[in-house]
Amino acid sequence: MADITPSSILKSETSNRYGKSSSDRSEVQRQRPRGQMLRQIIGPDQEARSTGGLVATFRPFPSKAPLGGGTGGNVIANRLTENPKFNVLVLEAGPSNSDVLSSEVPWLAPTMWNTAFDWNYTTVPQVALGGRPVAFPRGHILGGTSSINFMMYTRGSSDQYDHWANITKDPGWSWKNLKKYFDKNERWVAPADHHNTTGQFDPSVHSFNGTNFVSLAGFPTPIDGRIINATHQLGGQFKFNLDYSSGNPLGIGWLQNTVGGGQRSSSATSYLGSQFIRRPNLHVLVNAQVGRLLQTSAGHVPGFRTVEFRQHVAGPVQRVSASKEVIISAGTIGSPQVLLNSGIGPAEHLHSVGIRSIVNLSDVGSNFVDHCAVALPWLVNSNATFEQIKEPEISAELLNQWTVNHTGPFVDTLTSHLGFFHINNASRQHPAVGSLTPHYEFIISNGLIIPNPLVPANGHFFSIATALLSPASKGSIRLRSNNPYDPPLIDPAYLTNDVDKSAMRTAIRAAMKFVTAPAWSGYILAPSGGMENITDDASLDAFIEANAGTFFHPTSSNKMTHKGANNGVVDPDGKVKHVDGIRVVDASIFPYIFSGHPQAPIYAFAERISDLIKSSY
């Protein structure tokens, strides 16, 4: 066991790759994958004595305060090191994202699943899905899941943030007060093709001076006009929404995504860009997986400021200690896992796997929720779908086009339009608070969203993925053993609450209604992939059971509650309850599941907590 003491730092000898965009993109240093990251804060009373950089092999560092990373963790590291007296070390479970082409090219996002850049998790068998386990991709790469996701940017409903502010008794989490943090994060840029975007978004809603690129889709699809025409023909719940990031997401609008100059903008490429990674007080150690935190002080409120980690699977366990606090940003799966392995969590569960309970915090790993989704394919009367560009020869040509000038279909993800819908008179068991918070979503796509063995070979398709955004079903994250490096038991408990099954039926029927608009006449031929067998509730339920899976948005496994509450895991400032020296900053601390794609609120949460940390010292 190696204890880390102040000394020298070994800088990486790996090469850097820089990408530029026509929208004045700053150079960004990349490398490879992520998992969980810990960063180190040196208090203002300490001296930062080393040069910064990306670290490939571990040597002792000059300061003693690790902090956890991920999508939100990179924000923390960036903002804290704006003060040269704070020294931050990032412990990253995977390699770096530099030169990982599949992370750079938006179209290639799905190719990162089941690779070294994915944690390759699988859920426990899902009772309501016929006992099927579900593949559960999470980013194992610098930047976390922001380096492998579909890049969709949604701020969600103002009602939800105001409710979070109310239940946490902290007005700082309200829509109005978070606006400046969305602005600090977002840097709106032109789409890759520089098309006229008039009528596709509301410029007054967005920030043009933040850190992370956001843009509209950069290459048109043949169905774009049909989608917009359908919104006008049907109206009502299918109405056109000029900008779903306005605080009112309801309706159908143009996709906003974290892409700049045709290239993915992740927390690694933005917050750890070259102008930041060169700071002498910012250090990133890759291939360093955190196992647990060690208690460093006793008393009524125990302190935890030492972190155990290993570099590579067969590497020795090492330790590094923080002078101020540890900030865990290992994600909705990893953060509760680290706390549980550290003896912080429900005592009965810890005892069952042979871990000594130090702090009996019963909600650690509980209240875990994920969006559940079903992809719906229709056969279409066209060959200009994504099936065409997936053909090997065409795909190679398009990748070459992207490589040369960052243009063409590969600058986009799998959709150019999203839709958000509220169910009137829905069950109160759904956490969709207020009239503006959606219960379900459409992702509208010019091709198959996921492979389906029941569709005709060589067919061409139109798809809508329907996703539950406010599920009532709650699952858990639990330990498999007392080995801190064993993957945890992941149970999202999809559709175990009957109100979720009802909501999914409503969502699918709404999708079926959407394709009856005159805009689709002569284009959509027939349902496919098993949809053609849906005739009643029973057959619809069977289709859902066979096809439902993750929408990749797990949250709330370390939920935030108000200070002094007898439940929850963290206070409104991210500090773990009944513990000294630990904060959590990622989607696991959302008070309940966010009704949208969680990337934007994770960034906003991390921006605000960065300010709270800086004001503490």
Side-chain angles (χ1 to χ4, degrees), residues 405-561:
N405 56 25
H406 288 188
T407 63
F410 278 26
V411 304
D412 288 336
T413 184
L414 53 76
T415 183
S416 55
H417 293 83
L418 302 181
F420 298 93
F421 309 94
H422 183 86
I423 301 175
N424 294 326
N425 303 314
S427 168
R428 291 186 178 181
Q429 294 183 61
H430 289 294
V433 175
S435 61
L436 300 180
T437 304
H439 290 86
Y440 63 91
E441 176 184 354
F442 287 176
I443 289 182
I444 306 171
S445 182
N446 185 42
L448 279 182
I449 291 178
I450 60 172
N452 185 317
L454 300 181
V455 301
N458 303 317
H460 291 267
F461 303 94
F462 164 87
S463 294
I464 297 177
T466 55
L468 293 187
L469 298 185
S470 299
S473 303
K474 292 183 179 180
S476 64
I477 303 296
R478 291 291 180 254
L479 298 180
R480 190 179 302 268
S481 72
N482 60 7
N483 179 348
Y485 301 106
D486 270 356
L489 298 171
I490 301 169
D491 184 9
Y494 293 128
L495 304 177
T496 51
N497 190 313
D498 285 342
V499 301
D500 289 346
K501 294 179 181 178
S502 175
M504 184 63 87
R505 289 188 212 111
T506 299
I508 292 175
R509 290 193 176 110
M512 292 175 172
K513 180 178 179 181
F514 182 68
V515 301
T516 65
W520 303 109
S521 179
Y523 182 79
I524 291 181
L525 300 177
S528 187
M531 285 182 63
E532 65 275 18
N533 300 320
I534 297 174
T535 57
D536 53 18
D537 279 357
S539 55
L540 177 54
D541 286 346
F543 178 82
I544 293 169
E545 181 179 295
N547 290 279
T550 180
F551 206 44
F552 320 110
H553 300 154
T555 77
S556 308
S557 53
N558 290 317
K559 77 172 186 177
M560 179 187 293
T561 57

Side-chain angles (χ1 to χ4, degrees), residues 3-8 40 42 46-47 49 60-64:
D3 286 318
I4 307 310
T5 56
S7 182
S8 61
Q40 177 162 315
I42 285 189
Q46 292 186 304
E47 181 185 1
R49 297 193 299 275
F61 285 89
S63 64
K64 308 185 222 175

Side-chain angles (χ1 to χ4, degrees), residues 193-406:
D193 60 1
H194 292 272
H195 71 266
N196 183 353
T197 58
T198 302
Q200 295 184 357
F201 81 112
D202 181 353
S204 69
V205 169
H206 296 276
S207 166
F208 295 79
N209 302 303
T211 302
N212 199 45
F213 294 125
V214 180
S215 67
L216 295 167
F219 191 84
T221 74
I223 63 171
D224 291 345
R226 294 181 186 273
I227 294 170
I228 299 302
N229 287 340
T231 68
H232 296 308
Q233 291 165 353
L234 296 175
Q237 66 177 330
F238 303 113
K239 65 188 177 185
F240 175 68
N241 185 330
L242 175 62
D243 199 311
Y244 58 64
S245 288
S246 65
N248 177 4
L250 300 182
I252 295 173
W254 292 87
L255 173 72
Q256 300 167 15
N257 53 192
T258 49
V259 172
Q263 186 168 346
R264 176 192 294 272
S265 183
S266 69
S267 68
T269 65
S270 57
Y271 286 91
L272 296 184
S274 60
Q275 69 273 43
F276 305 125
I277 199 71
R278 293 169 180 164
R279 289 174 180 166
N281 57 334
L282 172 57
H283 317 290
V284 181
L285 177 63
V286 294
N287 300 307
Q289 183 180 0
V290 173
R292 61 176 179 165
L293 311 182
L294 300 180
Q295 184 177 356
T296 52
S297 62
H300 179 65
V301 179
F304 292 76
R305 289 184 173 84
T306 293
V307 177
E308 279 191 353
F309 69 97
R310 67 180 183 183
Q311 268 200 288
H312 308 290
V313 173
V317 174
Q318 304 184 66
R319 292 176 179 171
V320 61
S321 295
S323 63
K324 295 300 180 185
E325 57 187 82
V326 173
I327 304 173
I328 305 173
S329 296
T332 298
I333 310 301
S335 288
Q337 182 184 11
V338 170
L339 289 175
L340 292 168
N341 279 316
S342 306
I344 303 169
E348 183 176 357
H349 169 62
L350 295 177
H351 292 153
S352 72
V353 293
I355 293 177
R356 182 172 70 93
S357 173
I358 301 174
V359 179
N360 183 14
L361 201 56
S362 61
D363 276 349
V364 173
S366 302
N367 305 293
F368 169 61
V369 188
D370 183 29
H371 296 151
C372 182
V374 177
L376 312 173
W378 284 265
L379 280 164
V380 299
N381 184 25
S382 171
N383 61 4
T385 66
F386 290 158
E387 282 68 48
Q388 182 184 48
I389 68 176
K390 291 176 183 177
E391 294 176 8
E393 288 186 5
I394 295 176
S395 183
E397 291 175 4
L398 294 176
L399 181 57
N400 182 65
Q401 178 183 351
W402 183 92
T403 303
V404 171
N405 56 25
H406 288 188

